[in-house]
Amino acid sequence: MVAAAGLHDSAVRHIMGTDRMGRLHTMIPDTTAGTIRLEDAGAIMGGQTVWRHVTGSFRPGSMTAIAGANGTGKSTLLRAILGEVPLAHGTVTRGGLGPRDFGYLPQARIIDRGFPISVTDMVLGGAWQQTGLFGRADRTVRLRAANALHRVNLDGQAQRMIAALSAGQFQRLLFARLLMTDARVIVLDEPFTALDAPTTQDLLELVCEWHTQGRTIIAVLHDIHQIRTCFPDVVLLHDGQATWGRTPDILTPVILQRAYGGTRDRWADMPS
Amino acid sequence: MSILSVLWDPFASFGFMRRALVASMTLGMGAGPVGVMLQLRRMSLIGDAMSHAILPGAAVGFLLAGGLSLTAMGLGGIVAGLGVALLAGLVSRRTQLAEDASFASFYLTSLALGVLIVSARGSNIDLLHVLFGTILGIDASALCLMGGITTLSIALLSIIWRPLVMECVDPGFMRMTGGRGGIYHMVFLFLVVINLVAGFEALGTLMSVGMMMVPAATARLWTRRLLPMMVLSAATGMAAGLIGLLVSYHYGLAAGPSIILTCSVLYILSLVVSPAGLRAGRHVHETS
Ligand SMILES: Nc1ncnc2c1ncn2[C@@H]1O[C@H](COP(=O)(O)OP(=O)(O)OP(=O)(O)O)[C@@H](O)[C@H]1O
Ligand SMILES: [Mg+2]
């Protein structure tokens, strides 16, 4: 059977300070470097508890899906991990990872797609941590940008303006930019929504590639089948709680029915 | 009268026309690119509100200096403009009002306050000068100030170019990856204020924002790339300065309004003939 939270977690607990936003400001021992850990964490949005008593870890190189019905607080969980949302109680520690170690693809995009900027410049923006904000992008970085665009099948689009891209092409562009950040932890909020099957497949492969490179992946997904086939770990949010563990243990018909409703048969019939 | 003398004589014969020409060119060069950025950030209304916010500051400078002193009024204007920018930023962060809505409330307050202060101590002529500028009365020190501001503005803009663009397109990405986009936003607002202050001696508080917004709107009709857009915006402002001054000279019209109206005519022409203008059919061109 599955424990409610922190099933497979044996990471050492650390006492550390976080500032008002929950951002980490103490270093921790090497043993857990790169581990993101939630310790009895709870979030309140707009006066309502979203989830509470969440405990668990994202180890370096792990690949975790976050699932749950609409409004269960998946995006809130990601933002808490990134330090964007203050915790109501508990702590989040980031194993010495700083903001620059995170690559983030938000769900509700506030990107101004009418802004006159070319695809190449947008991708180069992803490398600002390496080039500096003011420095010129040198040959190596430009080459990397070209490779990133090639990787997401946008070769021919490099000189176009972002306003001219389709929604799917634009999502590919955001992945290319994420490639440029070279982040150790990649946080994706419903990255495949509104994409067709081939594009989804392409980008999912890219995510898996990041995983094999040893990066930590945390992704909100709605497609249970996708989670089963690609994500070893899962956090399932429902009724203000998190069920956290190995995917086959968590995504059982019983638990899925509890989380999403519907009949147990519906979840039992799912291809797995 | 030959074409050449029509174009040449006013500037060859009169020092004030030459200074007015240099002034309007300088203003166009500095304000044009800033205006493009302002529009792309959907902050047109904010530019408008800031130009009004400068008025009470300049009026206080006017009081303290006991007359039309460029330095005192310019400093007062910069302080007031930045103050309003900060205040409105705070208000919009604390309340649910959008930034431009909060700016709009400051706008009329500032205008009323400014007019009140100037008319309490100065003459009606002073008030007219403050409101509508005296481009034909520009002196060397005013030209130096404008030149300095334009230089600073272009230099700063090119330094903060990349982070500013990134902040505009996707503020979330900057923030999440550890960049402090807010700083560049503030530097940019500072650029808006100093350009408005530069324009205010020549065109007055009410019209200086015209040199910023109208050429920018024109340039946006002609190109979709950022750098050419800014260059074109500056060039349009400069051309309007030249044409406006010539028109005002030959037809005996007020210079400041002639310049701004020339900007408007160029805009309307562009609207008719440019690829992104009315010819583009019912395709709505998104401006803020
Ligand atoms: N800014 C906010 N102010 C008030 N309440 C909020 C805010 N953001 C989120 N919430 C609430 O917090 C809860 C969780 O929201 P969240 O966006 O994390 O859900 P989600 O699981 O990502 O949903 P979806 O699947 O629709 O993306 C919801 O009940 C939502 O109404
Ligand atoms: Mg969400």
Side-chain angles (χ1 to χ4, degrees), chain A residues 7 18-19 22 34 37 66 72 85 98-99 110 123-124 134 145 158 160 162 193 196 203 210-211 223 254 271:
Chain A
L7 180 80
T18 50
D19 65 18
R37 177 164 176 80
I66 296 176
T72 47
V85 168
I110 37 170
V123 172
L124 283 173
F134 310 108
R160 295 183 78 189
I162 58 170
T193 304
D196 65 8
L203 296 180
W210 281 329
H211 176 55
D223 186 333
V254 180

Side-chain angles (χ1 to χ4, degrees), chain B:
Chain B
M1 207 159 50
S2 74
I3 286 282
L4 204 64
S5 66
V6 167
L7 297 179
W8 187 255
D9 281 355
F11 303 112
S13 330
F14 299 102
F16 70 86
M17 284 296 285
R18 281 198 294 280
R19 285 190 292 277
L21 182 66
V22 175
S24 55
M25 293 256 177
T26 312
L27 290 178
M29 202 189 296
V34 172
V36 166
M37 213 60 183
L38 206 56
Q39 290 197 353
L40 289 175
R41 305 197 68 163
R42 295 160 213 280
M43 282 171 40
S44 307
L45 185 58
I46 289 170
D48 204 18
M50 277 175 126
S51 77
H52 289 74
I54 286 170
L55 185 60
V60 170
F62 173 84
L63 274 193
L64 293 180
L68 287 167
S69 150
L70 185 58
T71 333
M73 294 171 75
L75 277 178
I78 290 179
V79 170
L82 287 180
V84 166
L86 283 176
L87 212 58
L90 266 183
V91 168
S92 66
R93 215 152 297 149
R94 289 285 154 78
T95 67
Q96 296 292 334
L97 284 178
E99 201 163 339
D100 58 356
S102 56
F103 262 97
S105 337
F106 285 116
Y107 175 128
L108 294 161
T109 318
S110 307
L111 181 62
L113 200 61
V115 171
L116 195 78
I117 296 173
V118 177
S119 51
R121 283 296 165 81
S123 64
N124 275 339
I125 303 290
D126 289 335
L127 184 61
L128 279 180
H129 282 177
V130 170
L131 288 178
F132 300 111
T134 47
I135 190 159
L136 299 181
I138 297 290
D139 58 14
S141 67
L143 278 185
C144 284
L145 181 79
M146 288 175 193
I149 286 178
T150 295
T151 310
L152 181 67
S153 166
I154 292 176
L156 270 181
L157 201 58
S158 45
I159 290 172
I160 66 164
W161 178 278
R162 179 131 32 109
L164 186 62
V165 165
M166 279 173 64
E167 226 276 311
C168 286
V169 185
D170 191 354
F173 182 77
M174 267 292 259
R175 192 155 27 93
M176 296 318 308
T177 52
R180 261 168 287 170
I183 292 175
Y184 306 104
H185 182 67
M186 283 316 297
V187 172
F188 176 67
L189 286 181
F190 171 72
L191 289 184
V192 175
V193 172
I194 61 171
N195 273 290
L196 290 172
V197 166
F200 130 92
E201 166 84 357
L203 298 167
T205 47
L206 295 186
M207 282 190 306
S208 65
V209 73
M211 203 62 162
M212 194 173 275
M213 305 315 281
V214 187
T218 311
R220 290 189 64 191
L221 291 171
W222 287 101
T223 171
R224 296 201 320 201
R225 299 203 169 251
L226 190 53
L227 187 60
M229 205 181 276
M230 289 191 172
V231 172
L232 191 60
S233 172
T236 309
M238 293 164 78
L242 173 67
I243 299 170
L245 280 174
L246 285 172
V247 168
S248 87
Y249 179 87
H250 289 295
Y251 296 96
L253 298 170
S258 302
I259 293 174
I260 301 300
L261 280 175
T262 309
C263 290
S264 312
V265 170
L266 290 176
Y267 175 66
I268 291 166
L269 278 179
S270 302
L271 211 50
V272 175
V273 297
S274 76
L278 297 175
R279 270 201 321 165
R282 305 217 161 255
H283 179 78
V284 181
H285 190 73
E286 28 122 347
T287 35
S288 51

Side-chain angles (χ1 to χ4, degrees), chain A residues 110-116 161-168 170, chain B residues 42 169 286:
Chain A
I110 37 170
I111 296 176
D112 181 2
R113 285 197 52 193
F115 199 92
M161 305 304 276
I162 58 170
L165 298 183
S166 75
F170 192 72
Chain B
R42 295 160 213 280
V169 185
E286 28 122 347

Side-chain angles (χ1 to χ4, degrees), chain A residues 70-71 73-76 107 189-190 220 222:
Chain A
N70 290 135
K74 303 179 295 297
S75 302
T76 306
Q107 172 186 21
D189 199 344
E190 301 192 20
V220 172
H222 279 301

